[in-house]
Amino acid sequence: MIDLAQLRREPGVVTAALARRGVPRSSVDAIVQLDIEHRQRLQEAEALRAEIKDLSRRVALARRAHDDAQAQLLQATSRDLGERERVAAEATEAVAADLRAQLLMIPNLPAPEAPEGLDEGDNVEVRRWWVGVDEGAPFPTYQEHQRVAHWDVARELGILDLETGAKLAGSMFPLYRGDGARLLRALSFLALDRHRDAYEEIRPPSVALTETMMSTGHLPKSADDMYEVPRDDLWLIPTAEVPLTSMRRGEILEESELPIRLTALTACFRREAGAAGRDTRGLLRVHEFDKVELFAYCTPEQAEAAHADILARAEGLLRELGLTYRVLDLCAGDLGTSSARTIDLEVYSPGVDRWLEVSSVSWFRDFQARRANVRYRSAQGTQFVHTVNGSALAWARIWAALVETYRQADATVRLPEVLAPYFGELTIRPRS
RNA sequence: GGAGGGAUGACAGAGCGGCCGAAUGUACCGGUCUUGAAAACCGGCGUGGGCUUGCCCACCGUGGGUUCAAAUCCCACUCCCUCCGCCA
């Protein structure tokens, strides 16, 4: 949620910042008007309530003085006032609800550093990495045997069974088997071990309450993109960001305990409603995938370093896996609702010849903290924390890039050495 | 799923329907004393909102209700604890 006080103080600044990501001026103006109306009505209602409280006190005094006539009179006056107060309070609440609903639909202000632009075409490529780039090696020229889509590689090796996944849960719910399933497990274990030095491992619930989904900004805006369990007012989490951000919801943290850094391996569920029919082949876009998430609550001063650390860890894993990737600085218009700044990592997958998003490292400033009401006590008083998070990494597409990149001329897949402690024999052969 | 008990400030723990936003203790902050520290003593110490910055309003698990007036009475729900049942 954006800061209403800031909107009052400098409406021009807020309007201009939001315009960078395509929010029309009228949406902001509507909120300013509602805020003015809300405060007017609030004052009226509160004045009435103050008067009622005063009358009540005087009733008590009259009673004590055994002046029953006076008490009766005061009670009658207060009763009439009570009716007016009820009406005023209802009107105030109606405006407040409207204001709240509209405010929840407003996305975060983009950071000044976020590039200009309205859609993904305007994202800025910051750098590319591939094996040997530091030694001056040119961009890899992939061999013919690497130019096989992962769904074909997987069929040869019997490590992915999309038909059975569809049979169980519908299309785009993958079922991995044999070495394919084991590879997924190895990747998660590798990542969690890499983050153990600084991030506490969490295994949160895979479902969240509506209130929890509100905190991160996934609701009310993105309801169509999530799986819902209405009977129990639950939603399947689209990312571990959701439970992690709400872990300390409503709390006031001590500055000394910040940054609080957490990591979690969870399944992530996404309906992909807006992308129906696009990238439906193989693992390019799936409804459920495993992901290791990195997250931190921090002070505004710590945010930049915390964001950089997550990005470095995500990139570090990609390098350890020897995968070619590029780094994208998302333009203002392509930022997620809650984000002020986001760096995406896209891995190059030679078989399908595409760049696949495998991580999104975001800085939310106090947008989520304001919604989740997570604050910390500092010398300057109590203020909202900043939250940052990023994937390290999302495995379905990594899995695809790995089997394509490491496919050998003899049609086996030879996995990178870094997986040896988790996978053992690194060659995946067709199942006999 | 069934039966009972509970939910109050950072924590512990009081609170006949009427100066209760809330006693008291601990913790914390400032001061006195002390070579220093501890102890003792004195003072301070919840959050959010509105506006004429001194006042006003809201908040005692959540949501309703009764009343001139609710932490306190009534109803529903949620969570925690104990016991029974079921279960990976």
Side-chain angles (χ1 to χ4, degrees), chain A residues 252 255 300-301 374-385:
Chain A
I252 299 175
E255 185 167 18
E301 295 74 29
V374 183
R375 291 164 294 172
Y376 75 101
R377 241 185 291 275
S378 73
Q380 297 80 252
T382 305
Q383 55 182 313
F384 291 109
V385 300

Side-chain angles (χ1 to χ4, degrees), chain A residues 4-30:
Chain A
L4 191 55
Q6 186 195 3
L7 178 57
R8 267 179 221 155
R9 212 181 318 119
E10 39 193 29
V13 171
V14 173
T15 305
L18 288 171
R20 292 184 60 211
R21 42 148 64 218
V23 176
R25 190 197 174 88
S26 56
S27 308
V28 184
D29 288 346

Side-chain angles (χ1 to χ4, degrees), chain A residues 243-258:
Chain A
L244 295 181
T245 304
S246 274
M247 267 183 72
R248 307 299 291 269
R249 187 168 69 218
E251 294 187 30
I252 299 175
L253 311 175
E254 293 304 327
E255 185 167 18
S256 57
E257 59 179 323
L258 298 174

